[in-house]
Amino acid sequence: MDFKLRVLVYLFIALLFVLQVRFGIFYRPEFRPRTLAEIERSAGDLSVLDKKARRAYSSGGMFEPIEYEKLNGSAWLKSHYEPGQTFDEFAASYGGADEKRNRLYLLPLGEFTSETSILMDKLKLYCSIFFNMPCEIMKPADFKFRSRINSHTGKPQLLTGDIIKAMNKLLPADAYAMLALTMTDLYPVSSWNFVFGQASLTGRVGVYSLARYDPEFFGRKREADYQRILLERSLKVMAHETGHMFYMYHCVFYKCLMNGSNSLVETDMTPMFLCPACLRKLSHAVKFDPVVRYGRMLEFFEANGLGTSAVWLKKRIEYINMPE
Ligand SMILES: [Zn+2]
Ligand SMILES: [Zn+2]
């Protein structure tokens, strides 16, 4: 066989192998719940770390393992193939954030009222704390995207593929990743009812809609605490989706911010925080002192009325700082 042809055949076989291992596109085995020993090992070898770091990357009883048998039929893990990714697997393939591309960008798309602009500012601050990287809001983009009116909701929707294409052209040279956020609903192809978001990981751009996080979208009354709920959901989606830009897979060990989600109900049940394994992955990528980062997150939660998360963080910081 011609040398070039042989190389092409090998590359093709390697591609099929990667597609199977990562996405299970040919054969989808049922999810295998991890054993407690596997969960404990998911954050890698902790013996090489100092005492505080060892605590930061161990559960200390503050993270619950995923209870696969208790998940209902519509849960993400019941309908999606997830290979899982330990800290060691992550570290073996990820060299760390790029020195030249060291900024995160948020791009507001479409109509933003003064209320949602405030939300954008909060997302920017949280993004810079969470990823320990400068985060900037770009000028609102004025592109024309294909759109339609959804027949179920009667609300306008934007075509995600058009947005991703436009974002590829807009991407600043120093961008590690760029996330577009919109209050308009999205759809990926005409046959789909809607989509929460879509990303191009190779292009490191993604677009996410916050429309369905507001009860008014479904014609429901906004309760007194709806702003808090909208903020919590938006922080979660921003941090989760940006986490994927750092090549973190969905978490299969603990109840964790990086768990996949099939619905708003599942998103609401997802924790605000990274489990020990995912936290160590992020710290490998962007280098931070977990206690300093938690302290900044705590300030943010206290300033924004997110009491439950603040209480958890205080306990977590106490646990890490505990004397022997
Ligand atoms: Zn995800
Ligand atoms: Zn995790």
Side-chain angles (χ1 to χ4, degrees):
M1 207 192 295
D2 176 284
F3 177 71
K4 276 187 191 162
L5 186 63
R6 213 184 307 163
V7 169
L8 275 178
V9 169
Y10 287 148
L11 282 176
F12 184 65
I13 293 170
L15 176 71
L16 295 182
F17 180 74
V18 169
L19 287 175
Q20 172 58 35
V21 171
R22 174 67 184 95
F23 301 105
I25 59 164
F26 306 110
Y27 164 65
R28 290 195 170 196
E30 203 190 333
F31 177 71
R32 182 179 65 79
R34 300 311 196 254
T35 63
L36 278 180
E38 283 176 299
I39 293 171
E40 264 171 36
R41 279 199 308 270
S42 62
D45 180 8
L46 302 183
S47 66
V48 294
L49 303 174
D50 66 33
K51 190 180 69 190
K52 272 194 186 179
R54 272 204 304 276
R55 288 222 183 94
Y57 304 125
S58 48
S59 161
M62 295 187 72
F63 290 90
E64 293 172 59
I66 294 175
E67 295 165 293
Y68 186 70
E69 58 299 336
K70 286 195 188 160
L71 296 177
N72 69 32
S74 63
W76 176 274
L77 276 181
K78 296 274 179 176
S79 54
H80 292 82
Y81 173 73
E82 288 296 353
Q85 179 195 47
T86 62
F87 167 74
D88 290 339
E89 286 163 344
F90 173 86
S93 61
Y94 187 82
D98 194 317
E99 276 175 25
K100 291 196 187 93
R101 290 183 293 188
N102 53 10
R103 246 160 234 276
L104 293 165
Y105 286 89
L106 298 179
L107 173 71
L109 270 190
E111 291 274 302
F112 270 81
T113 60
S114 58
E115 203 178 335
T116 41
S117 299
I118 295 171
L119 177 65
M120 206 68 195
D121 287 337
K122 290 181 180 178
L123 285 171
K124 174 193 154 176
L125 175 58
Y126 190 68
C127 176
S128 65
I129 298 171
F130 196 96
F131 293 100
N132 197 34
M133 203 181 252
C135 177
E136 285 177 28
I137 300 180
M138 298 181 77
K139 283 207 186 86
D142 189 21
F143 286 108
K144 291 282 167 278
F145 308 115
R146 270 173 284 177
S147 62
R148 71 176 185 189
I149 300 291
N150 182 293
S151 55
H152 300 277
T153 63
K155 301 259 165 92
Q157 292 183 301
L158 301 173
L159 186 64
T160 48
D162 284 4
I163 301 172
I164 298 275
K165 256 190 231 157
M167 289 177 75
N168 281 325
K169 289 186 198 142
L170 265 186
L171 193 70
D174 64 351
Y176 180 82
M178 179 176 167
L179 257 84
L181 295 167
T182 175
M183 295 309 289
T184 310
D185 204 23
L186 299 170
Y187 72 107
V189 282
S190 53
S191 56
W192 280 46
N193 179 21
F194 82 97
V195 70
F196 278 115
Q198 192 181 323
S200 154
L201 288 192
T202 45
R204 295 200 276 202
V205 296
V207 56
Y208 302 94
S209 170
L210 308 177
R212 288 173 187 256
Y213 299 141
D214 183 345
E216 202 172 61
F217 180 88
F218 301 100
R220 286 186 219 124
K221 202 172 146 270
R222 286 172 167 176
E223 302 294 336
D225 63 347
Y226 100 94
Q227 274 185 322
R228 179 188 57 77
I229 294 172
L230 178 64
L231 176 62
E232 269 177 349
R233 288 171 174 170
S234 307
L235 296 173
K236 274 186 199 175
V237 74
M238 184 275 298
H240 175 107
E241 301 303 344
T242 310
H244 282 319
M245 299 281 179
F246 287 89
Y247 301 101
M248 291 204 277
Y249 291 8
H250 280 147
C251 185
V252 298
F253 303 105
Y254 293 96
K255 293 180 187 171
C256 164
L257 177 78
M258 290 311 292
N259 293 151
S261 164
N262 246 354
S263 65
L264 200 49
V265 177
E266 214 174 355
T267 301
D268 283 341
M269 289 191 315
T270 303
M272 195 67 125
F273 303 101
L274 295 173
C275 76
C278 296
L279 184 70
R280 196 171 177 200
K281 289 177 201 173
L282 187 62
S283 118
H284 176 80
V286 294
K287 311 277 177 276
F288 52 71
D289 175 333
V291 178
V292 173
R293 175 177 170 275
Y294 275 154
R296 297 180 66 203
M297 285 169 77
L298 176 61
E299 258 175 54
F300 178 91
F301 291 135
E302 284 178 336
N304 288 286
L306 303 179
T308 313
S309 297
V311 168
W312 186 90
L313 266 182
K314 268 188 206 153
K315 278 195 206 140
R316 187 71 187 159
I317 294 170
E318 263 169 37
Y319 166 73
I320 298 171
N321 283 336
M322 207 165 52
E324 279 301 331

